[in-house]
Amino acid sequence: MLLRLPKSLDLMAEYCRRLRPLLREGAVVLGGAMDKYLSKNMLAVLSAKMGPTHTTLGRKKARLSVTRVGPAPDSARPQRQRYRAEPFDLYVTSLPGTFSAQKLDVGTRFLLEHFAQIPIASSRTIADLGCGNGILGVVAAALNPGANVSFFDDSSFAIASARLSVAANFAAEERFDFNHADGLLPDADRLFDVVLCNPPFHLGGQQDTFVAQRLFAQASKALHPDGELWVVGNRHLRYHTSLRRHFVDVSVVASNRKFLLLRARQPRPRHAGASIQSRNE
């Protein structure tokens, strides 16, 4: 079996838990990773959960792990993390490998501190885009009991975590839907009043805003004409420039030394995207 090793030890342990029952004793698992992620702790997880593990010689700062599957499958349930969605009296649950699994992310905290400025109360449809454990959607649903809230993430662990978070805070799930998808689903009938987003800005170990730019483009097509996209991001990422490719009205609502909270309104016509992009680059 070939496996790209994750950076998270908890996620590696969960991979082992799920894969081990599918492998015969004596099978070989080859894992690839950059040297800086293939730590002694990672090898210890592989050895404990799968079987004896060693590494090959490195090449271009990367190497392979070689695991010989042992006799005893590890069937322990994945460890779940639970913490408070400060400053709100709500709690979210995270499975291994979910963004900000063990504690509240500082960017998310900054967004939550300014939730009063978002038109949650007047919104009927809300999207938590790149939802992780669902913290933004859960808080929005608590503030507006009449809103329908949709969760989107390309990680199955994230969507499962969002389901757990919703179940822990609400008695019924009729007004929630969960979408394991690469961004917003291309559904012309699914238009949102508010889209909330704390986009990822890393691909593997490198900083990259491509994913965020794609999410902004999707949001511009999935909002009502008078809908709003709310984005939190590090100042140096210059998301306001990217957002202006897709929205006429982009403003900084709040800021501190590290983060910007941005509101984007009035999606641009689709045919205008190329000209806007060329002027901003």
Side-chain angles (χ1 to χ4, degrees):
M1 171 175 285
L2 302 179
L3 179 65
R4 182 175 180 179
L5 303 183
K7 292 186 290 184
S8 165
L9 295 177
D10 288 341
L11 183 55
M12 187 69 256
E14 177 62 5
Y15 281 179
C16 292
R17 186 188 74 85
R18 296 191 179 204
L19 291 173
R20 177 57 190 86
L22 305 177
L23 299 172
R24 295 177 180 177
E25 183 178 348
V28 175
V29 178
L30 297 178
M34 301 302 292
D35 286 339
K36 60 183 177 180
Y37 301 132
L38 195 50
S39 63
K40 292 182 179 179
N41 290 334
M42 180 66 74
L43 298 178
V45 169
L46 285 165
S47 296
K49 304 291 185 181
M50 298 281 275
T53 301
H54 67 275
T55 61
T56 65
L57 294 176
R59 182 179 180 184
K60 294 184 178 180
K61 299 182 180 181
R63 67 183 62 228
L64 296 176
S65 66
V66 182
T67 302
R68 180 75 63 177
V69 175
D74 184 347
S75 59
R77 291 187 61 187
Q79 184 177 4
R80 299 177 180 180
Q81 302 289 340
R82 184 174 182 266
Y83 58 81
R84 185 167 175 257
E86 298 175 0
F88 300 92
D89 192 21
L90 298 163
Y91 288 83
V92 291
T93 302
S94 300
L95 293 172
T98 306
F99 171 71
S100 193
Q102 298 182 348
K103 62 181 181 180
L104 182 60
D105 167 66
V106 288
T108 302
R109 183 190 300 273
F110 183 69
L111 176 52
L112 291 175
E113 289 171 351
H114 294 86
F115 243 48
Q117 297 173 263
I118 305 176
I120 297 295
S122 60
S123 298
R124 298 181 60 186
T125 51
I126 299 170
D128 185 348
L129 180 55
C131 64
N133 59 22
I135 187 169
L136 298 179
V138 164
V139 173
L143 295 177
N144 183 350
N148 294 316
V149 181
S150 299
F151 298 87
F152 296 86
D153 206 291
D154 66 352
S155 164
S156 60
F157 292 99
I159 293 299
S161 298
R163 286 185 180 275
L164 292 171
S165 297
V166 167
N169 291 281
F170 304 98
E173 295 189 11
E174 286 82 2
R175 64 191 182 106
F176 302 98
D177 68 88
F178 305 89
N179 304 275
H180 180 204
D182 187 14
L184 286 166
L185 298 176
D187 185 348
D189 296 328
R190 186 198 298 263
L191 294 178
F192 297 100
D193 297 314
V194 166
V195 174
L196 306 168
C197 189
N198 179 6
F201 62 95
H202 286 96
L203 282 176
Q206 296 184 343
Q207 178 178 305
D208 195 314
T209 60
F210 171 76
V211 174
Q213 293 174 28
R214 184 160 49 81
L215 295 179
F216 299 160
Q218 292 174 348
S220 71
K221 300 171 185 176
L223 281 168
H224 282 294
D226 57 349
E228 301 182 358
L229 168 64
W230 287 74
V231 176
V232 64
N234 295 71
R235 299 178 70 96
H236 71 275
L237 297 174
R238 299 183 59 81
Y239 281 156
H240 50 289
T241 300
S242 301
L243 286 166
R244 289 193 179 105
R245 299 171 184 168
H246 307 287
F247 295 88
V248 174
D249 181 3
V250 178
S251 58
V252 178
V253 177
S255 64
N256 60 20
R257 294 178 62 184
K258 187 172 183 180
F259 295 103
L260 295 177
L261 176 59
L262 302 162
R263 179 186 61 197
R265 299 186 293 187
Q266 301 176 35
R268 293 185 184 276
R270 297 185 186 183
H271 66 271
S275 59
I276 295 298
Q277 180 171 346
S278 63
R279 287 200 297 268
N280 282 326
E281 292 183 338

